[in-house]
């Protein structure tokens, strides 16, 4: 009886041990096979869509807005009327200048008539003096009569010169009033604000009946189909950024579509910007040219990934497969003959999903996909390839 009990207990212990070994001892894990592929290192930040060509329109005259026939977002043509301003002082000045010009023109006409009469009088005095010279030489007239003819000529010459100066002065006055009136008329023309380009009205920071002063921003017109991305990059990242590098643009409005772009401009100096957490950072505005606008519009927020380095045909594993040991070494958990083997690896480029392995693994090796799983070396595992 005792033997039967002994063997029963031994059998139970044996079966429990086997069950533990083949059941609970074999931890289920997801594994992948190390393979080759391409990887890119990127600098990622938030960017905003803006028009590559835009024009700010400023008031060149002060006045009150009396007409505003356009709205923000409206497509407008070059030369199209955007708004009309009224400046009563300018209108009164133009009217007064017109009156003064008319008066000056009348003075010119009078001076021209007077000088024509003076020319005839001078010619008559010249003829009389010439005759007096002949008669005086012949002894036919006295010295007094000769001197009288000469004095009359000199008086008419002086009078004619004075008339010429008056005519010149009147003409200069007409030219001055014409210049002033043309300038005033030009200023009045500028009260009709027109678009300098064909595009979309992006900003209209004024309203009807508002009084604006010289230099006030009236509107912004942009070429809506020629868009670019402006991204403020951390100055620490600028060492990796160069003109001509490729960029990828994503945004919620784009869905799964990824747009391609190119770095075309890096501003020459950094600017202080405050982050969403209130941290002051030094950032450098950088411009990305788009190959395709997709359905982006000016002002939309985007995610910009600037590709700084890329490699092909390198060993890649998921970032989650790599862990750091206590002494700072990079490790992965390989699966060899159903057992966990910790291997030290060296790494290279890294993107949002994968990391390059430059040493410690070979193509075809099987590793645990997520190294955050708590496992010890030589742990028996049941691999599930993913």
């Amino acid at each position: 009886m005792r033997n039967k009990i002994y063997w029963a207990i031994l059998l139970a212990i044996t079966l429990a041990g086997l069950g533990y070994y083949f059941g609970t001892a074999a931890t289920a894990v997801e594994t992948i096979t190390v393979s080759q592929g391409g990887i890119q290192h990127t600098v990622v930040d938030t960017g905003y869509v803006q028009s590559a060509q835009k024009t700010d329109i400023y008031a060149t005259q002060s006045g009150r807005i009396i007409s505003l026939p356009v709205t923000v977002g409206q497509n407008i043509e070059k030369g199209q009327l955007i708004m009309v301003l009224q400046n009563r002082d300018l209108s009164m000045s133009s009217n007064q200048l017109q009156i003064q010009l008319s008066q000056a023109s009348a003075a010119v006409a009078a001076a021209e008539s007077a000088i024509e009469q003076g020319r005839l009088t001078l010619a008559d005095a010249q003829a009389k003096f010439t005759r007096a010279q002949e008669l005086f030489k012949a002894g036919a007239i006295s010295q007094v009569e000769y001197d009288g003819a000469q004095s009359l000529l000199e008086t008419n010459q002086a009078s004619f010169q004075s008339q010429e100066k008056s005519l010149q002065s009147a003409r200069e006055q007409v030219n001055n009033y014409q210049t002033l009136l043309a300038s005033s008329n030009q200023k009045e023309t500028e009260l009709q604000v027109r678009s300098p380009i064909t595009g979309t009205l992006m900003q209209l920071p004024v309203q009807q009946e508002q009084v604006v002063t010289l230099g006030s921003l009236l509107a912004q017109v942009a070429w809506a189909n020629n868009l670019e991305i402006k991204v403020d990059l951390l100055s620490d990242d600028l060492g990796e950024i160069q003109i001509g590098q490729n960029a990828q643009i994503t945004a919620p409005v784009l869905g799964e579509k990824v747009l391609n772009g190119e770095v075309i401009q890096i501003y020459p100096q950094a600017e202080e910007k405050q982050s969403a957490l209130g941290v002051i950072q030094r950032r450098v505005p950088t411009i990305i040219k788009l190959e395709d606008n997709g359905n982006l519009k000016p002002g939309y927020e985007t995610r910009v990934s600037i590709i700084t380095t890329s490699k092909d045909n390198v060993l890649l594993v998921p970032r989650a497969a790599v862990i750091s040991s206590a002494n700072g070494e990079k490790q992965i958990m390989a699966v060899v003959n159903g057992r966990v083997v910790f291997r030290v690896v060296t790494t290279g480029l890294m993107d949002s999903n994968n990391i390059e392995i430059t040493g410690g693994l070979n193509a075809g090796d099987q590793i645990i996909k997520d190294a955050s799983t708590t496992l010890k070396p030589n742990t028996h595992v049941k691999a599930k390839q993913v």
Side-chain angles (χ1 to χ4, degrees):
M1 182 66 178
R2 289 181 179 177
N3 288 339
K4 290 182 179 180
I5 294 174
Y6 170 79
W7 287 111
I9 293 173
L10 181 61
L11 179 61
I13 293 173
T14 302
L15 290 175
L18 290 174
Y20 175 82
Y21 182 83
F22 290 104
T24 58
T27 303
V29 293
E30 291 186 339
T31 62
I32 63 166
T33 301
V34 178
S35 61
Q36 291 183 320
I39 191 170
Q40 299 172 333
H41 178 65
T42 59
V43 173
V44 182
D45 218 311
T46 300
Y48 296 91
V49 182
Q50 65 181 23
S51 176
Q53 290 180 290
K54 56 182 179 290
T55 298
D56 291 330
I57 302 173
Y58 296 92
T60 57
Q61 307 298 328
S62 60
R64 179 173 62 90
I65 300 173
I66 60 174
S67 178
L68 199 60
V70 293
T71 57
V72 173
Q74 178 179 334
N75 293 328
I76 55 180
E77 299 295 325
K78 181 178 180 179
Q80 183 174 336
L81 185 68
I82 295 178
M83 68 186 70
V84 179
L85 280 64
Q86 183 184 67
N87 185 320
R88 295 188 184 277
D89 292 339
L90 190 57
S91 298
M92 291 176 63
S93 176
S94 294
N95 292 337
Q96 185 62 34
L97 285 170
Q98 185 61 62
I99 294 172
Q100 291 172 323
L101 177 60
S102 297
Q103 293 173 342
S105 298
V108 169
E112 287 176 340
S113 178
I115 204 169
E116 186 60 31
Q117 183 61 42
R119 186 178 285 108
L120 294 175
T121 302
L122 178 60
D124 182 62
Q126 180 67 54
K128 287 180 179 180
F129 177 69
T130 302
R131 178 62 178 163
Q133 283 180 317
E134 294 173 353
L135 292 175
F136 183 72
K137 288 179 181 179
I141 61 173
S142 66
Q143 181 70 43
V144 173
E145 290 175 312
Y146 174 80
D147 291 343
Q150 186 178 21
S151 177
L152 178 64
L153 175 61
E154 291 173 350
T155 299
N156 279 278
Q157 285 176 331
S159 177
F160 186 75
Q161 289 175 352
S162 177
Q163 289 172 333
E164 284 185 321
K165 290 181 180 178
S166 295
L167 177 59
Q168 181 180 358
S169 177
R171 284 174 173 169
E172 288 176 352
Q173 197 168 30
V174 166
N175 288 336
N176 288 337
Y177 283 133
Q178 286 176 333
T179 300
L180 291 172
L181 182 59
S183 176
S184 184
N185 288 338
Q186 176 61 34
K187 290 178 180 179
E188 284 199 280
T189 299
E190 291 172 359
L191 294 175
Q192 295 188 356
V193 181
R194 299 180 181 276
S195 175
I197 62 172
T198 296
T200 301
L201 187 61
M202 306 303 300
Q203 294 184 32
L204 193 64
V206 294
Q207 55 188 354
Q208 193 157 328
E209 298 304 322
Q210 180 178 338
V211 176
V212 297
T213 58
L214 176 68
S216 299
L217 178 64
L218 301 179
Q220 184 187 83
V221 182
W223 289 14
N225 293 327
N226 188 7
L227 301 179
E228 63 187 16
I229 306 293
K230 181 180 180 183
V231 53
D232 294 326
L233 298 175
L234 286 170
S235 57
D236 293 345
D237 291 333
L238 258 294
E240 303 180 54
I241 306 300
Q242 297 179 6
I243 299 294
Q245 287 176 334
N246 295 325
Q248 294 180 334
I249 294 88
T250 56
V253 71
L254 294 172
E256 298 297 322
K257 186 174 183 179
V258 178
L259 301 182
N260 294 318
E262 178 186 348
V263 178
I264 62 169
Q265 183 182 2
I266 301 172
Y267 280 39
Q269 71 178 48
E271 302 173 355
E272 281 194 353
K273 300 280 185 177
Q274 185 172 344
S275 71
L277 299 177
V279 179
I280 300 300
Q281 301 172 325
R282 304 293 295 181
R283 289 184 172 269
V284 180
T286 303
I287 303 300
I288 310 296
K289 178 182 178 182
L290 290 172
E291 294 181 1
D292 174 23
N293 295 339
N295 58 346
L296 293 178
K297 300 293 182 184
Y300 283 15
E301 182 178 300
T302 64
R303 196 68 173 166
V304 177
S305 300
I306 301 175
I307 303 168
T308 59
T309 311
S310 62
K311 291 183 179 180
D312 294 321
N313 299 320
V314 296
L315 294 182
L316 299 177
V317 300
R319 291 179 59 169
V322 180
I323 56 174
S324 296
S325 65
N327 59 6
E329 291 180 326
K330 299 291 180 62
Q331 294 181 333
I332 58 91
M333 289 188 285
V335 176
V336 180
N337 298 324
R339 299 283 178 172
V340 173
V341 177
F342 280 72
R343 288 185 180 174
V344 175
V345 295
T346 54
T347 59
L349 294 184
M350 182 169 54
D351 61 20
S352 58
N353 297 314
N354 298 315
I355 186 168
E356 175 193 7
I357 300 299
T358 57
L361 284 179
N362 296 308
D365 287 348
Q366 191 177 40
I367 65 171
I368 294 176
K369 180 181 178 182
D370 185 358
S372 65
T373 304
T374 304
L375 296 172
K376 295 182 179 181
N378 205 40
T379 298
H380 183 216
V381 293
K382 182 179 180 180
K384 179 182 177 182
Q385 185 78 19
V386 295

